[in-house]
Amino acid sequence: MNNTNKISILQGRLIDPANGVDTVTDIHIENDKVVAIGEAPAGFQATTIIDGNDKVVCPGIIDLCANLREPGAEYKATIASETAAAAHSGITTLCCPPDTLPVIDTPAIAGQIKHKARKAGYCRVLPLGAQTQGLKGEKLSEMAALKGAGCIAISNNYAPLANTLVQRRTLEYAATFDLLTIIRSNDRHLSDQGCAHEGKVAARLGLPVIPEAAETVAVARDLALAQTTGAAIHFHTLSSASAAHTLAWARREKRRVTADVAIHQLHLTEMDIEGFDSNTHVLPPLRSTGDRDGLRQAVAENIISAICSDHQPHEADAKAAPFPATEPGISGLDTLLPLTIKLAHEGVMDLSSAIARLTIGPAEILGLPLGRLQVGATADICIFDPDTYWTVAPDQLTSQGKNTPFGGWELPGIVTHTLLEGRIVYQRD
Amino acid sequence: MSRGPSLQLDDVGRLRHFLTIDGLNRELLTEILDTAEGFAGVSERTVKKVPLCRGKIVANLFFENSTRTRTTFELAGKRLSADVLNLNITASSTSKGETLLDTLRNLEAMHVDMFVVRHAVSGAAHFIARHADPGVGVINAGDGRHAHPTQAMLDMFTIRRHKGEFTGLRVAIVGDILHSRVARSQILALNTLGASEVRVIAPRTLLPVEARSLGVHIYHDMDEGIRDVDVVIMLRLQKERMQGAMLPSEHEYYRLFGLTEARLAAADSEAIVMHPGPINRGVEMASEVADGSRSVILQQVSYGIAVRMAVMSIIIGTQNQQGQDNKG
């Protein structure tokens, strides 16, 4: 009885899009659950009180893709360093892709990652299992075992399957176990050795290109295979307006398909690679203004129902080379929420919808009972000050990776508290 | 993030590095051509040297093989009385795992004043310029498919010598625009200097999808594209284009895009023919054209020295000026 954890968050603006709530109220938490909203239950004595005045209280953020780099690339980041950064950024659940070293294609690796994450204690980590053994695109992974070890979905991540028959088989096999297949759509022949969007900027800078068709061809193929097999698929980090259009059509047709977009695709375009800034080297590449606007519209209309960080922390050396020779990716955990709030400030959508894309949107994609805050829900909570601006200083990021193209940007939103299963895992001084 | 153009100019608009034609104005390009005009005479003297860069160290950093570009840079540096180091990097450091940045730091420790950089990756010269010490100049001698600005300027020099003004000129560039750093730089230079029309002639597989945005008119038919032009620039066709399903054969390429005497007849009667070299005879052009009276290909090579001297001396001039400014 003495050890019972009781927290009251008083007079915060509760935004819980899943339940259509946007109101100033109190929330009461006992152990790992929300026990009351509004008036406290009779006899409730809070052990901790959090002042929610002028703050937004929302479900903890669910990030569909954050590379933790462990095991295998601890010089870039570790499970401990990145889950701490996640807590600092209001993220309570994250999916880590399978391209670690060794690859997450055995229960042992999945178990090891979950164990280390639990030990660190900052954030719920859901590994994505490899779709094929060693991500080689040839043999099925032991998906049933991976699921048993806690893999929430499967993916071949950066090595999308070139062999269409193998892709079909993996979708069928995954569907046998109700496993979602997460796909980074990219035709490997069309993208070749490219590093930039096939558009005006790459034409002028003479950079090897990744055409829009590398994505649209692959999206069309995988939609057809999903239809054939009845498998549920999720398109990860779409980059083109054209793919978003195709997705809108598929959703109207009631196909079992969902999609997310990386937050940087909603703010940056091919224009940002001018001057060969290697921090803007990402995969899929930054595309045209029309693509950015099309993606923004698809997110506003909830056709793309999740925004992720696509977090790729790197050591400085990985970016210290001429643009095409650098490793792609942005360190995105620190800026995920602020850049999403910025979308609301820019009028792309209201704040509640923006928060939905970080909470209930990804929760529904993964089929998790998270991302919502009604009575009885798991107390994963993010509390932030929505109106205070801060300047992004790359070397001050909490992630071990300092590779951000947003250095110098003034962004709204500072996280003040993060609660994971009712425990305060981050509190701003 | 500093953009390319501001990276190569100091805050009063003087040339610090020469990385790309992009962002440089007509006055600056004209200054390079006028300066080169002054150096063109040096080659014809008995003592082929001027003391402008005495005591300076120029390092030729060639990460990609090149004979003529490296040689002309070497001669240009020597005629300016600089000490010139030739470093063939492919054979040394990078094969030992040393990064580009390490190579740069090591050379800086030797107090090099200027790097002349050739690299297979687009953006390499920008990268080196951004990471070099503030007092060190960088000249791009070709980076990937991006830029080869001194080649473009020697081509402009050649055109000006033969045609006088750029205004009113029609220029056709023929061949592999997609992979050509030379073409990208030429197009920018021609448009900046006021040429009235820049045409590119190529099959679609050898053009960027957004080629029009470079400021050119596109032709797929050689006879049509070459009509009435004052300058024909032929680009080198790399043999590996036959591998990537870009072209069926050299034979078909020559039949459709090769420059012959008969085709050249459609151009202006005073038209000149250029090629950055080395030529594939019977692929890009017939020998009779390459060696004919309209060809200025060998002049391009000798003008290359004067133009490179001009760029080097202007950058060293900026460095000296900055040295003065700092003392003042």
Side-chain angles (χ1 to χ4, degrees):
Chain A
M1 190 67 196
N2 291 337
N3 295 330
T4 309
N5 170 44
K6 290 183 178 176
I7 300 173
S8 291
I9 304 165
L10 303 180
Q11 292 303 296
R13 176 180 168 193
L14 174 62
I15 300 184
D16 179 18
N19 292 302
V21 172
D22 183 351
T23 183
V24 173
T25 186
D26 302 339
I27 304 174
H28 309 282
I29 296 150
E30 187 167 335
N31 293 325
D32 62 338
K33 294 280 191 275
V34 175
V35 291
I37 291 171
E39 212 168 305
F44 185 90
Q45 286 284 329
T47 50
T48 307
I49 289 176
I50 296 171
D51 178 8
N53 262 301
D54 299 324
K55 297 192 184 95
V56 169
V57 179
C58 70
I61 295 169
I62 301 171
D63 188 353
L64 289 176
C65 183
N67 286 270
L68 305 177
R69 305 300 194 198
E70 189 181 351
E74 289 82 354
Y75 55 94
K76 291 183 186 288
T78 63
I79 290 170
S81 74
E82 300 318 282
T83 52
H88 188 278
S89 309
I91 298 163
T92 50
T93 302
L94 62 80
C95 295
C96 66
D99 39 6
T100 45
L101 267 176
V103 165
I104 309 178
D105 60 358
T106 59
I109 299 298
Q112 183 196 351
I113 290 170
K114 284 187 74 93
H115 172 73
K116 286 202 173 178
R118 259 196 308 274
K119 217 171 101 193
Y122 292 112
C123 182
R124 186 180 294 105
V125 171
L126 304 173
L128 303 181
Q131 193 175 343
T132 56
Q133 291 176 33
L135 298 173
K136 288 190 180 132
E138 292 157 9
K139 294 176 180 164
L140 293 175
S141 62
E142 293 181 351
M143 295 183 198
L146 289 170
K147 186 178 181 182
C151 290
I152 187 80
I154 55 148
S155 175
N156 233 51
N157 206 32
Y158 274 129
L161 274 60
N163 184 323
T164 307
L165 179 61
V166 177
Q167 176 76 340
R168 178 196 164 139
R169 296 288 186 238
T170 58
L171 291 180
E172 284 173 330
Y173 194 71
T176 311
F177 310 104
D178 278 326
L179 265 171
L180 176 70
T181 302
I182 296 182
I183 303 168
R184 262 186 206 264
S185 280
N186 178 27
D187 183 293
R188 291 167 78 176
H189 297 296
L190 282 171
S191 57
D192 199 13
Q193 304 289 311
C195 65
H197 170 62
E198 184 175 49
K200 289 176 186 171
V201 177
R204 196 151 40 79
L205 297 183
L207 289 169
V209 295
I210 299 176
E212 177 198 78
E215 178 165 289
T216 53
V217 164
V219 163
R221 177 192 79 164
D222 292 331
L223 277 174
L225 291 176
Q227 175 78 343
T228 301
T229 58
I233 57 172
H234 173 76
F235 290 123
H236 182 37
T237 65
L238 288 184
S239 67
S240 69
S242 182
H245 279 300
T246 306
L247 183 72
W249 164 82
R251 302 268 288 186
R252 280 197 303 277
E253 297 278 310
K254 308 284 182 216
R255 301 286 187 87
R256 292 179 69 195
V257 58
T258 52
D260 69 62
V261 62
I263 185 64
H264 51 256
Q265 294 284 0
L266 301 175
H267 288 284
L268 304 177
T269 68
E270 59 178 337
M271 307 296 278
D272 292 289
I273 69 173
E274 292 268 14
F276 300 100
D277 178 6
S278 60
N279 282 321
T280 62
H281 180 194
V282 285
L283 287 180
L286 300 172
R287 296 198 185 274
S288 69
T289 311
D291 288 310
R292 184 195 59 189
D293 294 347
L295 291 168
R296 282 181 163 203
Q297 192 187 339
V299 171
E301 292 171 356
N302 207 22
I303 289 160
I304 292 175
S305 55
I307 299 172
C308 71
S309 69
D310 195 15
H311 179 62
Q312 314 256 4
H314 283 298
E315 79 285 17
D317 282 350
K319 291 289 188 183
F323 187 96
T326 54
E327 293 181 48
I330 289 172
S331 177
L333 292 177
D334 287 84
T335 46
L336 175 60
L337 176 64
L339 286 168
T340 305
I341 298 170
K342 187 172 163 67
L343 292 175
H345 285 209
E346 290 178 11
V348 176
M349 58 194 139
D350 59 29
L351 185 59
S352 179
S353 301
I355 289 171
R357 305 299 176 267
L358 297 176
T359 55
I360 187 64
E364 285 182 342
I365 288 165
L366 297 173
L368 292 171
L370 300 171
R372 60 205 96 190
L373 283 179
Q374 72 279 12
V375 171
T378 299
D380 287 358
I381 296 176
C382 164
I383 305 174
F384 64 93
D385 172 346
D387 298 315
T388 301
Y389 280 73
W390 58 289
T391 305
V392 182
D395 57 350
Q396 313 256 302
L397 295 185
T398 49
S399 165
Q400 192 173 317
K402 311 301 180 193
N403 49 302
T404 177
F406 296 106
W409 283 44
E410 294 268 330
L411 295 179
I414 293 177
V415 173
T416 60
H417 301 77
T418 303
L419 279 71
L420 175 66
E421 296 176 351
R423 270 186 311 118
I424 298 173
V425 289
Y426 169 73
Q427 183 166 2
R428 188 177 157 81
D429 303 326
Chain B
M1 197 71 241
S2 54
R3 301 282 184 233
S6 60
L7 182 64
Q8 50 186 351
L9 299 178
D10 71 6
D11 33 9
V12 290
R14 293 177 302 208
L15 200 63
R16 287 198 303 160
H17 307 294
F18 193 47
L19 308 174
T20 169
I21 304 290
D22 203 359
L24 301 185
N25 61 28
R26 193 171 181 165
E27 289 65 39
L28 222 158
L29 298 191
T30 306
E31 184 196 339
I32 294 171
L33 295 178
D34 292 346
T35 310
E37 202 63 63
F39 287 128
V42 175
S43 312
E44 287 140 30
R45 295 192 216 155
T46 353
V47 178
K48 298 183 176 65
K49 272 202 181 192
V50 289
L52 283 171
C53 297
R54 190 156 55 203
K56 300 285 182 181
I57 304 173
V58 175
N60 274 335
L61 275 178
F62 278 61
F63 295 87
E64 211 184 46
N65 291 329
S66 153
T67 313
R68 90 183 57 197
T69 304
R70 209 209 59 218
T71 313
T72 52
F73 268 111
E74 186 179 346
L75 276 176
K78 286 180 171 168
R79 285 187 184 169
L80 291 168
S81 310
D83 295 316
V84 182
L85 303 172
N86 282 315
L87 295 134
N88 186 1
I89 314 285
T90 35
S92 62
S93 317
T94 44
S95 53
K96 294 176 199 151
E98 189 177 77
T99 69
L100 190 48
L101 215 48
D102 290 333
T103 308
L104 182 68
R105 293 280 173 259
N106 277 292
L107 289 165
E108 274 178 350
M110 302 172 199
H111 303 288
V112 168
D113 298 286
M114 184 180 294
F115 291 113
V116 176
V117 182
R118 155 81 54 109
H119 198 284
V121 170
S122 301
H126 276 74
F127 174 77
I128 290 177
R130 191 169 296 128
H131 290 89
D133 278 344
V136 176
V138 177
I139 296 179
N140 185 1
D143 62 329
R145 307 174 185 178
H146 171 233
H148 194 350
T150 59
Q151 175 71 43
M153 289 314 293
L154 75 88
D155 295 334
M156 298 308 112
F157 187 83
T158 310
I159 292 172
R160 197 173 79 163
R161 276 237 160 162
H162 286 270
K163 298 291 170 190
E165 284 299 306
F166 288 90
T167 325
L169 281 189
R170 273 179 286 210
V171 181
I173 305 173
V174 186
D176 186 359
I177 310 293
L178 180 64
H179 299 91
S180 177
R181 53 193 174 209
V182 174
R184 281 185 178 78
S185 292
Q186 287 167 339
I187 291 165
L188 284 161
L190 285 164
N191 283 322
T192 306
L193 289 166
S196 73
E197 190 183 348
V198 183
R199 303 175 181 180
V200 296
I201 310 173
R204 285 170 184 267
T205 46
L206 297 182
L207 287 170
V209 165
E210 294 283 353
R212 205 173 302 278
S213 69
L214 299 173
V216 295
H217 297 265
I218 296 168
Y219 290 82
H220 304 303
D221 181 305
M222 180 74 167
D223 295 311
E224 205 183 311
I226 205 172
R227 191 169 300 146
D228 300 328
V229 298
D230 303 291
V231 179
V232 185
I233 301 175
M234 303 302 294
L235 298 174
R236 179 176 166 77
L237 186 77
Q238 305 287 339
K239 305 269 181 191
E240 59 260 30
R241 302 301 165 234
M242 257 49 77
Q243 304 306 318
M246 301 239 171
L247 289 175
S249 64
E250 289 180 359
H251 173 75
E252 176 147 311
Y253 182 79
Y254 183 66
R255 193 167 64 76
L256 297 176
F257 300 99
L259 187 63
T260 58
E261 287 286 3
R263 280 215 161 105
L264 189 55
D268 183 85
S269 59
E270 303 282 302
I272 55 169
V273 175
M274 300 168 65
H275 191 297
I279 309 169
N280 292 308
R281 289 165 185 263
V283 179
E284 295 116 33
M285 63 169 79
S287 279
E288 62 199 26
V289 177
D291 305 328
S293 60
R294 313 280 198 84
S295 168
V296 297
I297 295 169
L298 289 176
Q299 294 173 40
Q300 287 175 265
V301 180
S302 51
Y303 294 155
I305 302 168
V307 168
R308 284 161 181 145
M309 287 171 79
V311 173
M312 284 178 166
S313 67
I314 290 171
I315 292 174
I316 294 286
T318 305
Q319 290 177 358
N320 292 340
Q321 203 63 49
Q322 280 171 337
Q324 292 293 317
D325 294 352
N326 291 345
K327 276 178 208 159

